């Protein structure tokens, strides 16, 4: 194991909708859309609603057209905050190093778990997610990898409600074919600039020349190469 890092990224699936289903079990398995009134936007859509094309930040009027049979709810932020703090408290049971990046996602450093829990990081990650699912009755996904960037990308592949462990030596063969916008922080603008240069996948970014990337995206360009190759040491 040496000095290798094991980072778990945890992300609650369709968090607001998932909490509403936990609070009202009759909503389980149904399309649930949480958001402001008809003039507002969708805050969260359950996976049942997503199959109809509904997604967060979509105008509520459009969501009603796409999925008229859904249950529409106004957000209960106090409940989401409560579930969030309970989720992070569970994560802290498994490692002293927990970082919350938003109300529904964060990172856990599992590097020392072999000593602490007499179990592999993969096993501890599995226990952490199962503990959250069984205690809070919400769906949650996770990714375990050597860096935070890779762990977050692994979670993206594990959704919904799964867990993916990326072995460091095989990480790029798994992530390399993903589109470049799978790298956290690569938005539409950066994606367009890269695509115009033939840089379309994570593998393309990993192989790119850092000076060329800096010319395209400023100093963030070379940082992107580090993120893709796992040299960001976060």
């Amino acid at each position: 194991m040496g000095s290798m890092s094991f980072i778990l990224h945890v992300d609650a699936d369709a968090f607001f909708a998932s909490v509403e289903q936990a609070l009202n079990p009759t909503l389980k398995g149904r399309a649930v859309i949480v958001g402001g009134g008809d003039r507002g936007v969708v805050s969260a859509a359950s996976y049942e609603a997503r199959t109809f094309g509904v997604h967060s930040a979509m105008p509520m009027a459009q969501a009603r057209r796409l999925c008229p049979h859904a249950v529409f709810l106004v957000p209960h932020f106090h409940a989401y905050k409560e579930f969030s703090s309970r989720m992070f408290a569970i994560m802290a049971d498994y490692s002293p190093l927990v970082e919350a990046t938003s109300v529904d996602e964060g990172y856990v450093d599992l590097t020392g778990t072999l000593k602490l829990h007499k179990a592999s990081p993969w096993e501890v990650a599995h226990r952490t997610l199962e503990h959250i699912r069984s205690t809070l009755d919400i769906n949650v996904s996770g990714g375990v990898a050597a860096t935070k960037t890779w762990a977050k990308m692994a979670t993206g592949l594990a959704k919904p409600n799964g867990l993916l462990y990326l072995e460091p030596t095989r990480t790029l063969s798994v992530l390399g074919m993903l589109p470049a916008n799978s790298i956290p922080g690569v938005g539409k603008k950066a994606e367009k600039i890269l695509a115009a240069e033939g840089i379309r996948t994570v593998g393309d970014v990993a192989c790119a020349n850092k000076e060329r990337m800096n010319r395209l995206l400023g100093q963030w360009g070379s940082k992107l190469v580090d993120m893709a190759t796992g040299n960001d040491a976060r």
Side-chain angles (χ1 to χ4, degrees), residues 1-232:
M1 295 259 167
S3 60
M4 195 186 291
S5 294
F6 294 93
I7 309 295
L8 167 65
H9 175 254
V10 176
D11 190 359
D13 303 326
F15 182 55
F16 294 175
S18 208
V19 169
E20 295 292 351
Q21 288 172 324
L23 292 172
N24 180 358
T26 64
L27 297 176
K28 284 199 180 292
R30 295 176 68 185
V32 174
I33 296 170
V34 179
D38 280 340
R39 290 173 179 272
V41 296
V42 174
S43 299
S46 69
Y47 276 83
E48 294 83 2
R50 290 184 193 190
T51 58
F52 293 89
V54 180
H55 57 78
S56 55
M58 171 183 279
M60 286 292 279
Q62 189 183 351
R64 283 185 191 276
R65 280 198 302 275
L66 288 171
C67 196
H69 64 282
V71 179
F72 290 85
L73 300 169
V74 295
H76 297 103
F77 292 112
H78 61 284
Y80 310 147
K81 205 172 173 187
E82 155 98 4
F83 270 70
S84 174
S85 57
R86 288 170 68 192
M87 182 173 92
F88 285 108
I90 290 169
M91 286 154 70
D93 283 346
Y94 294 89
S95 170
L97 295 171
V98 174
E99 179 195 354
T101 51
S102 75
V103 69
D104 60 353
E105 69 174 304
Y107 297 92
V108 190
D109 191 338
L110 298 181
T111 307
T113 52
L114 213 55
K115 267 185 184 164
L116 194 63
H117 298 290
K118 306 284 182 285
S120 68
W122 164 256
E123 174 58 32
V124 177
H126 178 68
R127 285 182 202 169
T128 305
L129 296 191
E130 280 303 310
H131 192 166
I132 293 169
R133 289 172 186 141
S134 60
T135 307
L136 301 181
D137 198 22
I138 61 173
N139 286 349
V140 63
S141 298
V144 180
T147 70
K148 285 165 73 175
T149 300
W150 279 354
K152 186 175 169 73
M153 291 165 75
T155 303
L157 291 173
K159 280 181 167 292
N161 215 28
L163 173 63
L164 179 64
Y165 168 54
L166 293 176
E167 281 182 32
T169 52
R170 298 176 62 186
T171 297
L172 264 179
S173 63
V174 177
L175 300 180
M177 298 305 289
L178 294 178
N181 68 0
S182 305
I183 302 171
V186 177
K188 283 193 167 71
K189 191 181 171 189
E191 184 187 10
K192 207 172 176 183
I193 293 168
L194 293 174
E197 295 287 320
I199 300 168
R200 292 188 168 85
T201 66
V202 173
D204 292 341
V205 174
C207 297
N209 176 284
K210 283 190 173 185
E211 285 168 12
R212 179 188 178 206
M213 289 290 282
N214 281 347
R215 281 200 302 274
L216 294 172
L217 299 171
Q219 288 192 326
W220 187 57
S222 57
K223 200 175 267 181
L224 215 54
V225 177
D226 285 337
M227 289 167 79
T229 54
N231 292 320
D232 61 340

